[in-house]
Amino acid sequence: MKTKTVVFLVFLIGHAFCMAQVRLENPETYIGFSAGATGSMVNFSPTVRQTYLLGNNAGAIFRYISDKNLGVQAEILYFQRGWNETGNMFARRLDYIDIPFLSHFYVGRNFRVFFNVGPKIGFLFSEKTLYNYFENSNAVQHTRAAD
């Protein structure tokens, strides 16, 4: 019974702090884009010797700030990931769409330091073998589709 009482009090006090957020007079809305390059590898068991496979990424970002030091951020991002086996004998590229939903915390006025945290959903929508110089290979990483 004691545990239930303590848990109830923690939620009650936490709720009081959540209600104490200071609303901004003019909420802030931002829309932006991101783009860049990635270098990726994949962990295999047993180990496969590999080097980074270079790829691209791009996406759109939406941020809404209605409370002092607190907002939300949603993104939709395209990523190219994969692996390149040492010696350039085999390479596979995996194309993903990632959709993160983030809480946006910040401090500062003119110069802001921020921290984003939240879940991300990712979808593998295509894969392609870039090159394969292993003839008749039965290795799992060469024959099996990505899960």
Side-chain angles (χ1 to χ4, degrees), residues 30-36 57-63 73-77:
Y30 300 96
I31 296 174
F33 300 96
S34 68
N57 68 61
I61 302 165
F62 173 79
R63 182 182 300 154
Q73 182 170 311
E75 304 176 10
I76 185 162
L77 307 166

Side-chain angles (χ1 to χ4, degrees), residues 5-21:
T5 304
V6 170
V7 169
F8 176 74
L9 288 175
V10 167
F11 282 119
L12 186 64
I13 292 169
H15 180 69
F17 282 110
C18 289
M19 300 302 290
Q21 293 295 319

Side-chain angles (χ1 to χ4, degrees), residues 125-138:
F125 71 89
S126 90
E127 65 179 290
K128 180 181 179 183
T129 300
L130 300 177
Y131 45 86
N132 183 0
Y133 296 116
F134 291 109
E135 292 183 25
N136 302 320
S137 172
N138 292 328

Side-chain angles (χ1 to χ4, degrees), residues 12-109:
L12 186 64
I13 292 169
H15 180 69
F17 282 110
C18 289
M19 300 302 290
Q21 293 295 319
V22 177
R23 288 284 208 199
L24 294 177
E25 188 173 311
N26 296 318
E28 302 172 19
T29 302
Y30 300 96
I31 296 174
F33 300 96
S34 68
T38 61
S40 62
M41 296 162 105
V42 176
N43 291 328
F44 290 104
S45 181
T47 304
V48 174
R49 294 183 60 204
Q50 38 184 314
T51 58
Y52 286 101
L53 179 68
L54 298 179
N56 300 310
N57 68 61
I61 302 165
F62 173 79
R63 182 182 300 154
Y64 180 74
I65 301 172
S66 63
D67 297 323
K68 183 180 179 191
N69 302 335
L70 179 66
V72 293
Q73 182 170 311
E75 304 176 10
I76 185 162
L77 307 166
Y78 165 75
F79 276 95
Q80 290 181 330
R81 298 179 177 124
W83 73 96
N84 183 17
E85 293 187 17
T86 304
N88 292 328
M89 297 299 287
F90 182 87
R92 181 175 285 166
R93 184 178 67 219
L94 310 170
D95 297 320
Y96 284 89
I97 295 291
D98 288 344
I99 305 171
F101 300 98
L102 307 168
S103 296
H104 178 79
F105 303 99
Y106 71 92
V107 293
R109 289 184 183 210

